[in-house]
Amino acid sequence: MGIRIKRAAVLGAGVMGQGIAAHLANAGIPSYLFDIVPPELTDAEVAAGLKLEDRSVRNRISQAGIAAMKKAKPALLYRPDLASLVTACNYEDDLGRLAECDWIVEVVVERMDIKQRVFAMVDEHRRPGSVVSSNTSGLSAAEMAWGRSDDFRSHFMVTHFFNPVRYMRLLEMVPIADTDPEVFAAMADFGENVLGKGVVYCKDTPNFIANRIGTFGMASVFHWMQEFGVGVAEVDVVFGPAMGRPKSAVFRTADIVGLDTMAHVLATIGEGCPDDPWRDRFTVPDAMQALIDDGRLGAKTGAGFYKKVRGEQGSTILSLDLDTLDYVDAGKVRLPSVGVARKMDTPGDKIAAMLAFDDDHGRFAWKVTAETCIYALELLGEIADDIVNVDRALRWGFNYELGPFETWDAIGVEASVERMRAEGMTVPPAVDRLIEVGEGSWYATRDGARYYWDVASETYLPVPTSEGLIFLSSLADEGKVLAENVGATLYDMGDGVGCVAFHTKMNALDNTILEIIKTGCDMVEAGELVGLVIGNEATNFSVGANVGLIGMLAMSQDWDQITEAVRMIQDTFMLMKYCDGPVVVAPRGMALGGGCEVVMHGDSVRAAAESYIGLVELGVGLIPAGGGCKEMAFRFYGSIPEGVKADLFPFMEKAFMTVGTGTVSTSAEEAKSYGFLRPSDRITMNPDAVLADAKADVLAMVQMGYHPPPQRRVPVPGTTGIAALKVGVHGMAQGGYLSEYDEHLGTVLATVLCGGAVPAGTLLSEQDFLDLEREAFVGLCREQKTIDRILHMLETGKPLRN
């Protein structure tokens, strides 16, 4: 059974309601955003002569939710204009609109009595067959639906999104006993493939999976940090990237979530789980309660476990001293254990190194990790049926690189169990059966497929994956590697489609990557492949060219080698563009500089929705020279129909400002407005489906009789455009907005984007632009200020304004 959501209703215009409505809009689904009618007028409404019966007053709260949605940082919408898909409503005037909706999701305050009243109202006005769900973070699904009609109950479930909805991958889903299994499965498919979420199946227990285990981890941190004398700032260094966790780690995350919210979650588990084996841990720590009593609730009040203070030298982040509850400057926290862990290549190796380190920080990390692994196993069967859902919940809900059972494998199950028991920890007997009967690890790989240990049946079962998804690691395990070197691999995706995946550091472009791209194109030309996908499974597609190598060559004054390096990049990208078979580029995460140029040279693009694309070379004193300027010129000037006389200046200014300011799109959808993607390029919400969708695009293009695009020429603004842009750049420099060298870079960029010193209207080819790019790039490499910018970026990760 499939399900199509054409329109939705979101009940509650608070932060979560705004996020859900915004993400529905991102998916192209219109929604009604409901909230209450205000009980009285504001002073501004009184001054404006408005009355309580005026529609603008009655919709004030939901309308304010839409306004907040449009202003949110980070952005909730892929494009600001998508807010037009959200309509403000109120519960008194607009309940009839619920009958128009295919899905009604409740996002009101976490009180059972209020939720039950809302659902009684929904039951009365909804259309039979429409799906109803709650976004509760832990209240009983069965109790919320008690007393409702049979049709309501058969279409009811929990759909628990994490905040911010756009960026957090996790969607926890919980049925009740009466939920129609087909409806539940169809909504899970909708959540995954339309909204792009990672769906986890939970039992109807307090706080479900992610918050239950994640909160225990925080409680464990509180328990052990005082014994080992570890401070707030040290905790976040230990449980940050060195342990495969986000930079926000523990206490920064608590501040973002809100200490009052964290206290509520702790209390919910403590009160709602009387049989929890670690129930005594789920109490609000004295320090946290003191902060709450003092109104220090975290980021929303400006102080929590951290506080930002501003001084003459700029802002400083202070951390809380748990003993005095005063804020102190911890400075740069450097820990030997963390230093060792960070040198490791994989998340598993980092965690193993951290936990093996014999100092207070290593032992602290071990205690918390060991307890969390044990707790996750103890709850198996109560909160989830299998380890896969538990691991996915922590990875997708808290952005951990490894879930508890994956972590257990990384540190070695048998060895870690011995240490746990030696330290007096009680380990569930299920782990002994894993060691005795299984292979001693929670996961195993067989014939390219991943399996997990099912505790109930004591057998390995295939890890559930959606049909049709393609994972490069599986292709490697199956021996489907056509070519590889240290920088890239060419995989056989099946059906004659190859996939070029980068794997340099940050996927920075170098000769090894270009070599594999060329190999792939050669195989297409020879008829060994029908087309190519260029994509990978890394967090970021590519951050650009190897700037360190360019800086080294520039300092060595090896201009010939720089020239040839740029020429090789240009030639490879043009080979991609005019290959005999279609080349579809599949970016996700950052595609910057040269990474953006790879994207722009695909015959088509299949981008993950969360793709951040831009030409940022001016930040290191260079200009795009892998065809980036050329593509911008052809996309803007070439958009004017042949034979139509049009003013090139607005197109020129748009391209110049986009490249000159190093603009990076905040989504794939926004990338279209900057010209980095074409209107015809496609976007996939589910990042795991991007490669499979890109392969399908290649095959569809082949089926339609693909031919390379014809080469053409475009009119350019020439010297007239250069002069106009130089005036504008000089004015900005005079106004203090640009440095002297910024002005120089702007002049060089203007010269290239305008087509060089030719009369306005001259028709130029792609090669003409590539020659201009290459000459300008090498010229800038000769400038000491460019070298200074490159070195500064390499040392600090930040641009230099010299």
Side-chain angles (χ1 to χ4, degrees), residues 279-337:
R279 186 169 181 245
D280 62 323
R281 291 285 182 89
F282 292 102
T283 56
V284 180
D286 292 341
M288 182 187 287
Q289 189 60 57
L291 290 174
I292 294 170
D293 294 341
D294 195 34
R296 291 186 271 176
L297 305 180
K300 58 189 173 185
T301 60
F305 288 107
Y306 291 94
K307 180 180 180 180
K308 180 186 284 188
V309 295
R310 301 185 185 280
E312 294 181 1
Q313 303 301 319
S315 298
T316 302
I317 303 294
L318 305 180
S319 61
L320 189 75
D321 183 313
L322 292 181
D323 294 323
T324 65
L325 297 185
D326 293 327
Y327 292 98
V328 297
D329 185 356
K332 186 75 172 178
V333 178
R334 298 186 184 278
L335 306 175
S337 52

Side-chain angles (χ1 to χ4, degrees), residues 196-240:
K197 296 301 172 186
V199 175
V200 163
Y201 303 99
C202 310
K203 302 291 188 71
D204 192 5
T205 57
N207 294 104
F208 310 129
I209 300 175
N211 279 335
R212 181 80 174 269
I213 296 177
T215 303
F216 173 82
M218 174 169 281
S220 184
V221 164
F222 266 114
H223 179 80
W224 289 107
M225 66 184 291
Q226 296 181 47
E227 178 167 330
F228 286 102
V230 181
V232 167
E234 291 173 299
V235 167
D236 280 353
V237 170
V238 170
F239 280 100

Side-chain angles (χ1 to χ4, degrees), residues 51-208:
K51 299 179 180 179
L52 280 173
E53 57 267 28
D54 289 333
R55 186 71 177 185
S56 62
V57 174
R58 296 176 71 77
N59 281 349
R60 183 214 308 152
I61 296 177
S62 52
Q63 193 60 59
I66 296 173
M69 172 197 307
K70 292 192 284 189
K71 296 177 182 177
K73 298 293 181 184
L76 297 179
L77 295 160
Y78 291 161
R79 298 191 322 265
D81 63 293
L82 290 173
S84 63
L85 290 173
V86 184
T87 302
C89 295
N90 69 74
Y91 294 122
E92 295 181 18
D93 302 324
D94 302 307
L95 286 177
R97 290 183 166 182
L98 294 181
E100 303 171 28
C101 300
D102 305 296
W103 177 30
I104 301 164
V105 55
E106 166 272 315
V107 204
V108 302
V109 66
E110 287 285 89
R111 275 181 47 185
M112 184 61 72
D113 59 332
I114 294 177
K115 289 182 185 291
Q116 287 177 331
R117 286 205 303 271
V118 168
F119 286 130
M121 182 173 60
V122 170
D123 203 1
E124 182 181 349
H125 292 89
R126 65 182 279 271
R127 185 184 72 247
S130 60
V131 177
V132 183
S133 71
S134 172
N135 187 64
T136 181
S137 60
L139 295 182
S140 168
E143 190 175 347
M144 282 188 287
W146 186 85
R148 302 278 58 82
S149 66
D150 290 346
D151 188 80
F152 180 105
R153 292 174 62 80
S154 67
H155 290 80
F156 180 75
M157 65 196 72
V158 167
T159 52
H160 179 220
F161 293 88
F162 273 53
N163 186 44
V165 176
R166 170 182 165 182
Y167 300 98
M168 297 304 292
R169 182 94 186 274
L170 180 60
L171 172 59
E172 290 182 316
M173 294 188 61
V174 187
I176 61 172
D178 296 330
T179 305
D180 184 328
E182 290 190 6
V183 173
F184 188 72
M187 279 301 291
D189 181 74
F190 169 79
E192 181 177 354
N193 293 311
V194 178
L195 299 183
K197 296 301 172 186
V199 175
V200 163
Y201 303 99
C202 310
K203 302 291 188 71
D204 192 5
T205 57
N207 294 104
F208 310 129

Side-chain angles (χ1 to χ4, degrees), residues 239-288:
F239 280 100
M243 285 281 288
R245 308 280 185 89
K247 289 183 179 179
S248 57
V250 178
F251 291 110
R252 291 184 190 277
T253 297
D255 275 357
I256 294 167
V257 171
L259 305 196
D260 51 344
T261 301
M262 287 300 309
H264 173 75
V265 173
L266 282 163
T268 299
I269 299 173
E271 295 168 8
C273 303
D275 299 325
D276 190 292
W278 302 76
R279 186 169 181 245
D280 62 323
R281 291 285 182 89
F282 292 102
T283 56
V284 180
D286 292 341
M288 182 187 287

Side-chain angles (χ1 to χ4, degrees), residues 770-785:
L770 292 174
D771 293 342
L772 285 169
E773 286 182 3
R774 190 171 60 255
E775 180 182 352
F777 187 93
V778 176
L780 290 172
C781 285
R782 293 174 179 267
E783 301 275 359
Q784 182 60 45
K785 288 187 176 181

